Amino acid sequence: MSRLHELTLPLSEDRVRELRVGDMVTLTGAVTVSIGIPTHKRLAEAARNGDPLPVDLRGGAFFHLSTYVREEAGQPVPLYLNPSTSTRYNAWMPDIVRGLGLRLVGGKGGLDDASVAALRDCGCAYLSFLGGGSPLLSRALRGVRSSHWNEYISQFRLLTLDVAALGPATVAIDAHGGSTYDQLRDRAQARMPDILDRLRRARQAG
């Protein structure tokens, strides 16, 4: 049965391992976001080399959420949140998860097996945000806590945002390796013989 978790960041490993596939969460606190491939490359390289980053991600959340920050009266204002497809970043996510002490990652579409293994080993979970859910997600925005690597366009920067009750998001891959994507694939594969048999009989009857 799905449960709702109202989480406040940062999180402990034990708290994240309590989450199970299908649970729903809302998040309050600081979340770091970027959809930039160059940003992911830099994060993965820093994780591999043990280099310091401009923001400490230990116990925190890093999401594939796009945003644009506009200056208003001399203050940075984030205008929206919109999820991006996480599989674009499969090449770098295992190093990022293993090296930066993250407790939550997320976006839409899931991650590959190497990333799932890193989540399981490190006590990190993947959250699925509603595609097309920008109006709902954007209501959680409270401000910009920090902005780094500002030579990039706004959506590619390493942005840390303050949010309140961000979500709801679904635990799509938990810290034990359970994956809703694997469950959906297995159900689809189990139904395939019957679907093919029905198609065959329909062709024969026609």
Side-chain angles (χ1 to χ4, degrees):
M1 181 177 178
S2 176
R3 301 170 296 170
L4 175 63
H5 304 261
E6 297 176 347
L7 302 177
T8 299
L9 294 155
L11 296 169
S12 69
E13 179 179 345
D14 288 344
R15 184 68 181 95
V16 173
R17 290 197 184 275
E18 293 174 2
L19 305 176
R20 292 293 187 273
V21 167
D23 286 354
M24 306 293 289
V25 305
T26 62
L27 296 169
T28 296
V31 301
T32 300
V33 303
S34 180
I35 64 166
I37 286 177
T39 312
H40 283 73
K41 290 180 178 179
R42 287 177 71 171
L43 288 171
E45 182 178 4
R48 288 192 299 269
N49 297 335
D51 297 333
L53 289 170
V55 59
D56 187 357
L57 297 176
R58 289 174 295 180
F62 175 65
F63 296 138
H64 302 136
L65 295 175
S66 173
T67 190
Y68 181 81
V69 175
R70 181 172 66 195
E71 292 289 326
E72 296 183 0
Q75 296 296 320
V77 177
L79 300 185
Y80 64 83
L81 286 173
N82 195 47
S84 183
T85 302
S86 297
T87 51
R88 298 170 59 207
Y89 314 104
N90 278 331
W92 307 285
M93 288 307 294
D95 285 333
I96 289 171
V97 170
R98 292 185 186 281
L100 301 184
L102 290 162
R103 291 290 164 240
L104 296 173
V105 296
K108 63 179 182 179
L111 291 167
D112 65 4
D113 288 345
S115 299
V116 173
L119 296 175
R120 182 188 62 239
D121 294 346
C122 298
C124 185
Y126 177 89
L127 302 184
S128 175
F129 292 92
L130 177 65
S134 181
L136 176 64
L137 298 175
S138 301
R139 295 191 309 185
L141 287 168
R142 295 296 181 268
V144 176
R145 182 169 294 197
S146 67
S147 178
H148 299 284
W149 300 347
N150 293 330
E151 65 271 27
Y152 298 141
I153 63 172
S154 185
Q155 294 86 349
F156 283 21
R157 294 172 187 168
L158 193 66
L159 290 168
T160 300
L161 307 172
D162 285 312
V163 297
L166 174 63
T170 304
V171 179
I173 305 171
D174 65 28
H176 305 278
S179 169
T180 191
Y181 305 103
D182 288 346
Q183 293 173 1
L184 290 171
R185 182 197 61 212
D186 292 344
R187 286 201 294 267
Q189 289 176 344
R191 293 180 60 193
M192 188 60 67
D194 181 59
I195 292 171
L196 293 175
D197 183 60
R198 290 184 183 184
L199 291 172
R200 178 184 58 78
R201 285 188 279 112
R203 286 196 298 267
Q204 290 174 346

